[in-house]
Amino acid sequence: MSRSKVVQDPVHGNILVGGLFLDVVDRPEMQRLRSVRQLGLGHLVFPGANHTRFEHCLGTYHLSGRMARAIGLDRTDSDTVRMAGLLHDVCHAPFSHCMEHTMEEVTGLDHMELARSLITGKIPNHADVDDDLFDGMPSIGEVISRESIDPKEVCDLIAYPDSAKDDLDFFTERKDHFPSNDYAHQIIHGPVDADQMDYLMRDAYYTGLSHGFIDCDRLINTMNVHNDRIVLRRGGITAAEGLMVSRSLMYTSVYFHETTRIAERMLVKAVEASGIDLSQMYLWTDSDLTHRVVESGGKSSNCIRRIMNRDINKKAFAVYSADMDDEKASKLIPYASIEGAERLEQEIADQADLDVFNVCAELTTKANLQSKANIGKTDVSIMDDEGKVKSLTKFSPIARSLQARDPYGWAVLISAPSMMCEQVEKASRKVLGI
């Protein structure tokens, strides 16, 4: 009999992990995630937010299995989807999304494509210091393929395979065949997916906010597959509205919180200025990265030690969504990208005669500045009583409103050490003409 364990999870209750899945959970690639905070530096604002990517991956694995059962996947497809749910964040950078762009710049791959390389054994699965523990360990792909789970299929589910999932019109008429296995992909990446449901509920639980409550039982119990697409029956509309409300409010309250974003921009600048070799950052924990930057000395060490002691830059200048107009938007749009924000930092620093290291800029998206509807993961498909599929927005004015809602609350945030804020504010106004 294969071994199994029951994990007591505060969000989902008991989660059963057994056999091959337990073997994978016990590997170093997964155990690293116990030391990678789910919300990056969110704990500096929400003291309870010390939960990790490891917990989130277990939760996503659990919900993936529930969704697979709800839509009637067979054992092989269900195991593949659950493995993808378990491994979907296996290569997340230290401090999660905060360092994602830096890791992508260094490796040329985002965390999902890195996961493909890790699972298939194209990159090392442990740090050199752990050779005495794990040298010769086979790749995850080798292990799961022995149990008839195709590593390529798992990786395709993790790394956004090509599909027609965003073409809702394609699915409004009944087809005689399924063009792909897109419904399996949507369990991991879709409008109502296991990843999203878990992180909203888990992040709300640990931050102490009530915004993240989701009726996941109702959502899962009303799921169907229609022409290769996961849809909700009409009885799931209210639960889908609740998901959209939760997502919108959590982004405003947690993911785009001003203080967190300022601290995370400081961290990125400290890491990038440290000069340390980041090529194997996907194998590091939060503390590994912190220690290396501290040891690098200089302004990077000073900055990251300030962050750890919650000595965070102060807001010097901001424009809020409620105060936006077309003129202000036109002045901000050229800077609404990672490269644009860096350019803005340099221009402000030059105007203020400061080291650019001390100027941090965060901007909303270009689409947000242009007041374009935020569809993406909010375009939930609902099947009516006649079997016709339409967007949730056709049934729900709440959904239509949320697609147009600005989840940021701010358009631009410029921050600096407190003693430099006055200089930076004046420079920001001159550079932006606001």
Side-chain angles (χ1 to χ4, degrees):
M1 180 180 294
S2 63
R3 65 193 185 105
S4 64
K5 289 182 179 178
V6 174
V7 178
Q8 294 175 313
D9 182 70
V11 176
H12 303 299
N14 291 340
I15 297 176
L16 179 64
V17 186
L20 175 63
F21 296 97
L22 186 55
D23 293 339
V24 172
V25 164
D26 286 342
R27 290 179 60 95
E29 301 97 322
M30 286 296 298
Q31 291 300 310
R32 177 187 75 92
L33 300 181
R34 290 182 182 272
S35 300
V36 176
R37 283 191 176 95
Q38 169 81 359
L39 288 180
L41 293 174
H43 65 286
L44 297 177
V45 176
F46 303 98
N50 286 296
H51 56 303
T52 68
R53 287 280 153 184
F54 181 80
E55 300 160 58
H56 167 58
C57 286
L58 283 178
T60 304
Y61 151 83
H62 172 70
L63 289 179
S64 296
R66 290 188 60 189
M67 291 175 68
R69 288 194 298 273
I71 65 173
L73 295 190
D74 62 25
R75 174 68 180 272
T76 300
D77 286 345
S78 177
D79 284 351
T80 302
V81 166
R82 287 194 296 156
M83 190 61 72
L86 184 64
L87 293 171
H88 78 286
D89 278 348
V90 71
C91 276
H92 241 302
F95 296 101
S96 294
H97 290 291
C98 172
M99 296 306 306
E100 188 169 3
H101 177 72
T102 302
M103 186 170 72
E104 188 172 342
E105 286 280 296
V106 170
T107 65
L109 301 171
D110 64 24
H111 77 86
M112 290 172 290
E113 286 297 339
L114 272 171
R116 183 190 297 275
S117 296
L118 183 74
I119 290 167
T120 56
K122 294 178 181 178
I123 56 177
N125 57 17
H126 64 273
D128 293 342
V129 69
D130 290 325
D131 274 348
D132 59 328
L133 299 177
F134 307 120
D135 192 32
M137 174 179 281
S139 68
I140 293 174
E142 291 177 74
V143 172
I144 66 177
S145 62
R146 295 170 191 165
E147 300 290 333
S148 301
I149 295 180
D150 187 341
K152 181 180 184 302
E153 291 183 10
V154 171
C155 293
D156 285 346
L157 293 179
I158 292 172
Y160 293 112
D162 293 333
S163 73
K165 65 184 175 63
D166 293 321
D167 184 8
L168 185 59
D169 292 338
F170 180 85
F171 298 96
T172 57
E173 298 296 332
R174 182 72 186 176
K175 308 296 178 184
D176 293 330
H177 64 280
F178 287 170
S180 69
N181 285 341
D182 198 56
Y183 52 88
H185 153 258
Q186 290 172 49
I187 291 178
I188 308 300
H189 302 295
V192 185
D193 62 38
D195 177 25
Q196 180 180 192
M197 283 194 286
D198 183 81
Y199 76 66
L200 288 175
M201 290 188 290
R202 193 170 300 279
D203 294 347
Y205 179 88
Y206 283 101
T207 55
L209 299 179
S210 59
H211 306 324
F213 176 77
I214 296 170
D215 190 353
C216 66
D217 291 339
R218 185 72 171 172
L219 290 169
I220 292 172
N221 290 336
T222 57
M223 285 181 179
N224 270 8
V225 173
H226 178 86
N227 288 355
D228 204 37
R229 185 184 185 91
I230 291 181
V231 301
L232 301 181
R233 297 190 296 277
R234 194 164 188 151
I237 288 178
T238 302
E241 288 176 325
L243 174 69
M244 289 185 66
V245 170
S246 169
R247 187 171 187 267
S248 184
L249 294 180
M250 285 293 289
Y251 269 81
T252 301
S253 302
V254 178
Y255 308 128
F256 296 147
H257 192 285
E258 292 181 21
T259 304
T260 303
R261 293 299 289 255
I262 290 170
E264 290 183 343
R265 182 60 188 145
M266 289 175 66
L267 176 62
V268 169
K269 297 192 82 162
V271 171
E272 292 183 348
S274 68
I276 62 176
D277 180 4
L278 301 171
S279 59
Q280 290 196 334
M281 187 165 61
Y282 69 94
L283 295 173
W284 295 354
T285 65
D286 293 356
S287 60
D288 289 334
L289 179 62
T290 302
H291 175 74
R292 283 171 167 82
V293 176
V294 168
E295 290 296 303
S296 72
K299 61 186 180 183
S300 290
S301 175
N302 175 271
C303 184
I304 202 166
R305 285 183 286 113
R306 283 181 56 211
I307 295 168
M308 295 307 128
N309 285 281
R310 210 183 182 282
D311 177 13
I312 300 167
N313 285 356
K314 304 303 180 185
K315 180 172 57 183
F317 176 79
V319 177
Y320 291 95
S321 303
D323 301 321
M324 284 296 295
D325 55 35
D326 290 344
E327 182 182 357
K328 291 175 182 174
S330 67
K331 293 176 178 178
L332 294 175
I333 283 173
Y335 300 107
S337 65
I338 292 174
E339 295 76 18
E342 292 174 349
R343 188 171 69 254
L344 178 59
E345 289 174 345
Q346 187 65 62
E347 291 177 13
I348 292 172
D350 291 344
Q351 180 68 40
D353 195 23
L354 294 171
D355 183 345
V356 70
F357 185 82
N358 294 312
V359 180
C360 295
E362 288 283 332
L363 285 94
T364 184
T365 63
K366 186 175 181 179
N368 210 35
L369 290 170
Q370 294 172 329
S371 300
K372 292 183 179 179
N374 176 28
I375 300 177
K377 279 196 172 185
T378 65
D379 199 19
V380 180
S381 301
I382 304 295
M383 185 168 63
D384 65 20
D385 298 336
E386 297 176 355
K388 295 181 178 179
V389 177
K390 300 177 183 177
S391 169
L392 176 62
T393 56
K394 303 290 186 183
F395 297 90
S396 168
I398 293 175
R400 289 195 297 274
S401 297
L402 288 171
Q403 282 191 349
R405 181 181 184 271
D406 175 8
Y408 284 78
W410 45 266
V412 60
L413 294 172
I414 310 296
S415 62
S418 56
M419 72 288 293
M420 303 176 188
C421 279
E422 186 175 347
Q423 290 170 266
V424 171
E425 179 189 10
K426 291 177 180 177
S428 299
R429 292 187 184 280
K430 287 183 179 179
V431 169
L432 292 170
I434 297 176

